[in-house]
Amino acid sequence: MLQGEHKILTFDIHGDERGKLISLESIKNIPFDIRRVYYIFGTDSNLPRGFHAHRKLKQILIAVNGSLKIKVETWNEKAQYELNSPAKGLYLSGPVWREMFDFQNDCVLLVLASDFYNEEDYIRDKSVFNKMKRYTESDSN
Ligand code: TYD
């Protein structure tokens, strides 16, 4: 199975005295065909969510309002991001374990996804995620 990938993308802002605008387009500034959009809101700063990875899904997470923090983990490293700008997107591809927490200031988290909702693409058990890591390591030996 392919390694998971995570990185921050910065979007161009079209701004003038009337305000600001960001445009997101499949393949152009979003590195996949967008098949699904959802948004998370009405969160509680004390109630983390996520706690899963995906097998194949690609996603971009954007805090279009407020902020949140995200811990991510692939099979060989861990990182933490803060999303606090509508111009910043976190690209997650494939098996990246994610935990989202510390939602602040009426956070609205917009998510663009490369495929329809499919429970079979989820890895919800951390021990299963960790076991997949071991299989990958033995594959490369
Ligand atoms: P869940 O995966 O628990 O959210 P999070 O990733 O933030 O922990 O999803 C919450 C509920 O919404 C769950 O019942 C599944 C449902 N859901 C959909 O129906 N469609 C979707 O596109 C998503 C992402 C979730």
Side-chain angles (χ1 to χ4, degrees):
M1 186 181 256
L2 288 177
Q3 273 284 348
E5 193 187 337
H6 56 91
K7 64 180 173 192
I8 291 286
L9 305 180
T10 304
F11 306 121
D12 290 340
I13 301 176
H14 305 277
D16 57 34
E17 62 286 351
R18 299 168 301 160
K20 297 177 184 175
L21 181 155
I22 290 174
S23 165
L24 305 174
E25 297 180 289
S26 290
I27 311 301
K28 292 188 176 172
N29 58 352
I30 299 298
F32 52 80
D33 262 321
I34 301 163
R35 274 201 153 166
R36 175 168 51 115
V37 175
Y38 63 92
Y39 35 97
I40 292 173
F41 56 100
T43 50
D44 183 320
S45 61
N46 296 315
L47 294 178
R49 51 192 304 162
F51 298 91
H52 65 256
H54 287 280
R55 293 171 196 279
K56 294 200 174 141
L57 192 69
K58 297 181 168 118
Q59 291 172 299
I60 305 267
L61 285 65
I62 305 164
V64 291
N65 192 56
S67 68
L68 74 150
K69 293 178 182 141
I70 308 185
K71 283 184 202 166
V72 296
E73 194 176 326
T74 64
W75 291 323
N76 51 15
E77 32 106 49
K78 291 182 184 184
Q80 184 171 312
Y81 295 98
E82 179 166 16
L83 294 182
N84 53 11
S85 161
K88 201 155 84 172
L90 176 60
Y91 173 66
L92 300 178
S93 172
V96 180
W97 188 264
R98 80 284 309 269
E99 299 178 7
M100 302 173 289
F101 64 103
D102 202 12
F103 294 90
Q104 297 292 340
N105 300 320
D106 275 332
C107 181
V108 179
L109 179 65
L110 176 69
V111 183
L112 313 177
S114 63
D115 212 341
F116 302 122
Y117 177 71
N118 173 13
E119 191 56 39
E120 292 186 358
D121 188 66
Y122 278 75
I123 307 159
R124 291 197 183 270
D125 183 336
K126 188 71 187 291
S127 66
V128 170
F129 179 78
N130 291 337
K131 251 183 231 158
M132 291 165 80
K133 170 183 176 165
R134 285 206 293 279
Y135 284 124
T136 306
E137 281 166 352
S138 57
D139 280 354
S140 61
N141 286 337

